[in-house]
Amino acid sequence: MTRTLDELRDTLDRHAGQAPPADITLLPAVRGRAAQLRRRRTVLGGAALVAAIAVTAGITPLIVRTDAPVTATARAWSRTPEQTSITLRAGSPFLLLDRKSTPTGQFVRVRNLQDVKSARPGVKGRNEGADVLSFDPGAFDPAELQKGTPVTIGDRHGWFARDMHAGVPDSGFDGSFVGWRDSSGVWVLVMNRSAETPDGLVEVARDIRVVDGMDAVSPMTLGWVPPGLQIYRADVNTSRIGGLSASFGLGYATDRKPDLLWFDSVREALPFELQLTRLAPQEWSNYQRELQGHPPVKMNGADTWYLPRPNTLFATQGQDGGADMVVRFGDCMGLVHVRDRQQITEADLNRLVASATFGSCTNASGWKRLLG
Amino acid sequence: MEFEEFAASRSSALLRYATLLSGDREEARDIVQEVLARAMLKWRRIIAGGEPYAYVRRMVTNEFLSLLRRRRRVAVVPLEERDLDALAAPVRHTADDELWQVIRSLPKQQRAVIVLRYYEGLSDLEIAEVLRCRPGTVRAYASRALAALRIELTEQPAGVTPVILGGML
């Protein structure tokens, strides 16, 4: 039996009407809870102060220790903007999902393996995981974090801070954090938007490892790109249960380097963007409707549609000088976005597709570096 | 706008939204109460952003999606007589019960997308900003949810512009 959108809207409207009333007891309850939260913050802040005093006095070096500055003992470490270097210890109950990297930072989602496998995640008492940020040496100011409560993470020492913001303004990284400086000099922050205590975050943090950079991989490998283009952003998910996808932002040396953001806004578009996902029939139907009447151009075994802007699929205000290309190959769909079609032309995109090697979007085992 | 003014004017809308997300009146009240308490503590920062309702709605969404969320009912909330009446009322089986049950069984993210799209009337780009994900992810959630709900698509989603269908990064 199929249903219509009107039926769906009617059902939502009817059940919204069953919401509890916003009666006179709500605001007093809110004030009461706010007071409780404020008291808790005061207690935690006081604990941090006591700990800091103890450290200064050298009383409890085993319980609290400020993070030592990076010294000659810091291990050599490096990565490129397309590489991620966050991983989990072997045997961890958590799983890495998305891995995003920029020239100065990384973002990965760590989720409980049992939740990811389950159709009904969220068993009470189970640690759901956390989001993990890392900032390359020199790219993070730890002052705000270090005002928090000192915590011990295995053999490392860090801090727990609530209501903190990390990254550039409007990065979207707000909430509670457990953070520390790795021996590589990288700052690692484990984040949950509403954690009131550090316990769950510390549990995740204990399993985090910082390793040397690992290349982002892709189901599409490009044998040629316009000269000068480099990868400045990569966001890859190679977990089949988490959904396979890869996206990349490429720019020139003179372009402003992308910041680490939770949500990559179109306002931050780089000269060349590529998004690769599994070709889901339902999702493809969105494109199919818009592409009707535009026969594909066959290139290198792929169906391609070149769409100068403005076009009905990707028209973006203020970006009429750009162009887009839909590439369908095997079980994959690729979306190419070019900021300036005079700079990266249709001929460039044709050459790029002609030189590409295509893999699977339902199995990431054969994925390779984007730039072959 | 003062916090009290905001709470008085927008609490009903937030409670309706939270009820659709959680599928449970009591949990909806818990969520809204908790979120408003936290919003109260950082109201200046919220109001400085210029869109307090959007901000607080995002907080409600995050609270709902947080698997760590526990029931945190505050003891000072009295159980009103009309709540007891509602509990005692006979269960009414309406024509949309079956559809509602399927909505409630959707994974949380998919349910949030459906409610934001078809009840709050947000575009996929706006939903992506609420959920902090890509528009393409929103579309994927919506596709899966609509398939599970067996909804026949006869129109474009509300507020969806061509660029959003395109799923620009």
Side-chain angles (χ1 to χ4, degrees):
Chain A
M1 182 189 74
T2 57
R3 306 179 177 101
T4 65
L5 282 176
D6 283 343
E7 286 176 281
L8 173 61
R9 290 197 182 98
D10 286 348
T11 297
L12 292 173
D13 282 344
R14 268 195 290 275
H15 286 274
Q18 294 178 8
D23 51 48
I24 54 168
T25 64
L26 181 66
L27 201 51
V30 166
R31 287 199 194 97
R33 175 66 180 153
Q36 195 182 25
L37 290 171
R38 199 178 287 125
R39 276 197 300 276
R40 192 171 299 173
R41 282 182 198 180
T42 307
V43 170
L44 282 173
L49 181 63
V50 168
I53 292 167
V55 169
T56 309
I59 298 168
T60 54
L62 292 177
I63 300 171
V64 181
R65 192 179 71 195
T66 51
D67 204 24
V70 179
T71 64
T73 59
R75 66 187 169 87
W77 173 88
S78 68
R79 72 170 189 97
T80 61
E82 68 173 293
Q83 292 181 321
T84 54
S85 58
I86 301 296
T87 189
L88 294 168
R89 71 168 175 83
S92 170
F94 300 106
L95 174 74
L96 280 182
L97 295 178
D98 298 13
R99 303 159 192 246
K100 182 189 288 191
S101 61
T102 67
T104 55
Q106 304 169 59
F107 171 72
V108 298
R109 285 180 213 273
V110 176
R111 292 291 180 267
N112 194 301
L113 193 53
Q114 291 184 60
D115 279 338
V116 175
K117 283 179 178 171
S118 169
R120 304 294 298 271
V123 172
K124 191 176 176 182
R126 180 190 293 161
N127 188 333
E128 63 167 343
D131 296 331
V132 180
L133 301 171
S134 76
F135 293 95
D136 292 1
F140 176 71
D141 177 359
E144 199 61 30
L145 177 71
Q146 289 174 325
K147 287 179 190 164
T149 311
V151 291
T152 299
I153 307 148
D155 59 354
R156 298 170 290 201
H157 300 276
W159 292 265
F160 170 64
R162 297 185 62 201
D163 288 328
M164 199 183 100
H165 173 82
V168 295
D170 296 327
S171 64
F173 300 121
D174 299 280
S176 300
F177 293 83
V178 160
W180 70 96
R181 185 167 55 189
D182 181 74
S183 60
S184 58
V186 171
W187 278 94
V188 185
L189 304 176
V190 179
M191 169 189 154
N192 180 294
R193 295 207 173 271
S194 56
E196 294 184 359
T197 67
D199 302 352
L201 295 174
V202 167
E203 194 181 345
V204 174
R206 276 199 298 261
D207 284 5
I208 300 288
R209 302 288 182 268
V210 178
V211 297
D212 281 340
M214 301 174 289
D215 289 332
V217 289
S218 163
M220 182 177 179
T221 303
L222 306 179
W224 178 89
V225 291
L229 277 182
Q230 303 167 50
I231 299 174
Y232 285 131
R233 184 174 61 232
D235 190 350
V236 178
N237 188 340
T238 54
S239 153
R240 190 181 299 179
I241 40 182
L244 299 170
S245 65
S247 67
F248 298 87
L250 282 71
Y252 296 99
T254 52
D255 283 308
R256 183 180 173 276
K257 305 298 175 288
D259 294 312
L260 187 65
L261 304 172
W262 188 297
F263 173 70
D264 292 324
S265 163
V266 290
R267 293 183 291 277
E268 300 279 322
L270 285 162
F272 177 93
E273 307 252 7
L274 172 64
Q275 188 175 14
L276 297 152
T277 55
R278 189 172 67 83
L279 184 67
Q282 281 160 342
E283 195 170 343
W284 177 247
S285 65
N286 286 329
Y287 295 87
Q288 216 167 9
R289 186 167 43 204
E290 297 296 325
L291 294 170
Q292 267 175 4
H294 301 278
V297 175
K298 202 86 173 170
M299 263 188 287
N300 192 14
D303 291 328
T304 66
W305 289 262
Y306 181 75
L307 306 164
R309 294 182 197 156
N311 60 60
T312 55
L313 262 173
F314 301 100
T316 305
Q317 270 190 342
Q319 294 186 9
D320 285 355
D324 308 282
M325 182 180 263
V326 177
V327 184
R328 188 175 62 178
F329 57 94
D331 51 13
C332 296
M333 178 173 68
L335 301 175
V336 179
H337 308 291
V338 169
R339 198 171 61 187
D340 180 351
R341 62 176 179 271
Q342 303 298 324
Q343 186 180 37
I344 300 174
T345 64
E346 181 179 6
D348 287 334
L349 292 190
N350 289 345
R351 183 175 172 187
L352 182 141
V353 173
S355 75
T357 308
F358 303 114
S360 167
C361 282
T362 50
N363 182 352
S365 61
W367 288 16
K368 296 176 180 161
R369 287 189 66 207
L370 177 69
L371 304 181
Chain B
M1 181 189 274
E2 295 299 318
F3 172 78
E4 281 72 13
E5 192 187 338
F6 172 84
S9 63
R10 307 312 293 265
S11 290
S12 292
L14 291 168
L15 284 163
R16 285 195 295 272
Y17 174 57
T19 299
L20 290 177
L21 289 181
S22 66
D24 183 294
R25 299 171 85 236
E26 293 307 303
E27 191 171 0
R29 190 179 167 105
D30 275 358
I31 290 171
V32 171
Q33 187 174 294
E34 177 69 19
V35 162
L36 285 177
R38 280 194 266 123
M40 188 178 177
L41 295 179
K42 55 177 180 181
W43 186 244
R44 281 188 187 170
R45 205 194 308 170
I46 292 174
I47 206 75
E51 293 184 46
Y53 180 71
Y55 192 103
V56 177
R57 180 174 56 197
R58 181 186 286 171
M59 290 175 74
V60 167
T61 312
N62 288 335
E63 182 71 7
F64 163 68
L65 292 175
S66 170
L67 298 176
L68 290 177
R69 211 184 72 73
R70 293 183 294 276
R71 295 181 72 81
R72 304 187 190 97
R73 288 196 63 75
V74 177
V76 296
V77 183
L79 186 62
E80 288 195 297
E81 213 167 281
R82 60 169 168 264
D83 289 330
L84 291 169
D85 289 343
L87 288 171
V91 178
R92 198 162 52 90
H93 290 284
T94 59
D96 63 353
D97 273 354
E98 192 190 337
L99 180 54
W100 177 240
Q101 291 311 318
V102 185
I103 292 170
R104 288 187 63 180
S105 72
L106 292 173
K108 282 184 169 183
Q109 282 90 347
Q110 291 183 26
R111 208 182 324 161
V113 167
I114 290 296
V115 174
L116 287 166
R117 214 195 228 190
Y118 297 108
Y119 181 72
E120 294 280 306
L122 267 57
S123 71
D124 284 3
L125 191 57
E126 291 167 327
I127 296 170
E129 285 176 356
V130 172
L131 297 179
R132 304 287 197 189
C133 65
R134 295 175 189 286
T137 308
V138 171
R139 283 201 318 278
Y141 282 145
S143 290
R144 283 177 222 158
L146 291 173
L149 298 170
R150 298 187 181 182
I151 300 292
E152 188 178 1
L153 281 177
T154 53
E155 57 174 293
Q156 274 195 3
V160 176
T161 59
V163 64
I164 293 151
L165 282 172
M168 182 87 165
L169 282 169

